Amino acid sequence: MKLFRYDKILFEKQSGEQLVQVVQRDDRRELRFGNHITQSATSLENPDFLQLDYTRAMMAAFLFAPKPTRILHIGLGAGSVPRFIHRHFPEVKQQTVEFSPVVIEAAYRYFDLPISPRLEVIEDEGERFLSACQENYHMIFLDAFLADGVPNNLKTVSFFETARGRLERDGWIINNVWGSDKENLNLVKNNLAAVFGQLYSLSVRADSNVIVFAGNTHTAPSMAAVKIWAERFSRTMPIDLMDMVEKLTRVRVPQASTARVTG
């Protein structure tokens, strides 16, 4: 892993084949998996601000489902998104599923993950948890990354069908995908489109993350209502959701889709 001159490793521990590291540079603290890629980050001076632009983009989910009460996260990282939701949506109960006990340890020790009855962290593999789960959720955030990307079993049609079965009738999947891998991005979009009635994408920036929103409904959301919620949330959260509304793109997948990953 390349370290810059002022990087300081605060924590380093092996988790299976994955090296979990906490690196600090000045005010910024990062979670990495043994390479240069920042998995999660926080500011020690301003921990309420979502440091990574893709995490801010994921908050556009609240434009589609503005009043959730139950949220599930597959993948914890440093817990930036669950922590932010815990702070700004006190009526929401969250569960976060993370397969690595070392990642869980790092999130609590170095990233101020709240210990709260409203935020339950479960050590388990995402697909296994969803298959056995009996709960329904208004949102399911998919943000489970290894050092080289999302595990293949978390982007199959069968997995997305299982996830849809755990959504409320008006629920949404929020899927973080690397935009630089166009083949993989198209595969994820096609597999989601095979399962869900509504699909929207939000590109964070060129060749970076793309957030795909998949709705468990065949009715397109009202853009007028989306803009109203964007204006309201932008007044109460440190995120410009109005700017994101302009960047939302409805996904129309062609009939001749690419090959799917099979479970």
Side-chain angles (χ1 to χ4, degrees):
M1 181 187 75
K2 180 180 179 181
L3 290 175
F4 292 96
R5 180 179 177 184
Y6 298 107
D7 285 350
K8 179 181 180 182
I9 296 180
L10 303 180
F11 175 86
E12 187 171 74
K13 185 182 290 188
Q14 200 73 27
S15 178
E17 298 181 357
Q18 184 167 270
L19 181 64
V20 179
Q21 296 172 312
V22 177
V23 178
Q24 186 164 323
R25 185 191 314 160
D26 299 324
D27 170 60
R28 182 179 167 107
R29 187 170 288 179
E30 299 180 356
L31 180 75
R32 301 181 191 175
F33 291 156
N35 55 30
H36 68 283
I37 298 172
T38 301
Q39 299 291 336
S40 300
T42 190
S43 164
L44 299 181
E45 293 183 1
N46 187 14
D48 189 45
F49 181 71
L50 290 170
Q51 287 286 303
L52 301 185
D53 44 14
Y54 92 85
T55 59
R56 297 194 295 275
M58 293 182 93
M59 294 303 96
F62 287 90
L63 305 180
F64 298 115
K67 296 182 179 181
T69 58
R70 290 189 59 80
I71 292 176
L72 176 68
H73 304 266
I74 304 295
L76 172 65
S80 301
V81 170
R83 186 177 67 237
F84 186 87
I85 294 174
H86 184 271
R87 164 72 174 82
H88 290 279
F89 295 88
E91 70 281 6
V92 172
K93 291 187 177 180
Q94 300 180 82
Q95 289 180 307
T96 300
V97 178
E98 170 58 52
F99 82 98
S100 169
V102 179
V103 169
I104 295 172
E105 177 187 354
Y108 279 117
R109 285 182 60 185
Y110 294 96
F111 295 93
D112 198 27
L113 185 67
I115 299 174
S116 167
R118 295 191 288 112
L119 178 52
E120 181 185 9
V121 177
I122 301 163
E123 183 186 330
D124 203 350
E125 192 277 323
E127 183 179 26
R128 181 171 56 232
F129 176 85
L130 273 181
S131 297
C133 178
Q134 299 299 315
E135 302 280 357
N136 279 359
Y137 305 91
H138 293 101
M139 297 180 187
I140 299 178
F141 286 82
L142 302 179
D143 193 20
F145 276 74
L146 301 175
D148 58 351
V150 178
N152 283 339
N153 68 318
L154 298 186
K155 50 190 176 186
T156 67
V157 169
S158 60
F159 174 73
F160 292 141
E161 287 173 341
T162 300
R164 184 182 182 184
R166 299 274 58 86
L167 284 176
E168 297 288 356
R169 292 183 63 182
D170 56 350
W172 286 79
I173 293 285
I174 303 93
N175 199 343
N176 177 30
V177 189
W178 274 343
S180 57
D181 186 344
K182 301 302 181 185
E183 181 178 355
N184 179 68
L185 176 61
N186 288 333
L187 183 144
V188 170
K189 287 182 178 179
N190 288 337
N191 286 357
L192 282 167
V195 177
F196 291 92
Q198 296 293 327
L199 224 63
Y200 291 80
S201 71
L202 179 58
S203 181
V204 175
R205 62 177 182 271
D207 294 326
S208 182
N209 302 66
V210 174
I211 310 303
V212 184
F213 306 88
N216 191 21
T217 174
H218 290 285
T219 304
S222 163
M223 284 298 106
V226 165
K227 289 180 179 179
I228 290 172
W229 283 111
E231 185 178 20
R232 290 182 184 178
F233 286 136
S234 293
R235 291 197 298 263
T236 60
M237 296 190 296
I239 299 176
D240 184 3
L241 291 175
M242 289 298 295
D243 179 62
M244 293 184 194
V245 171
E246 303 303 321
K247 297 177 181 178
L248 277 171
T249 302
R250 191 172 184 182
V251 178
R252 291 180 171 85
V253 180
Q255 293 295 319
S257 62
T258 59
R260 298 168 180 161
V261 173
T262 56

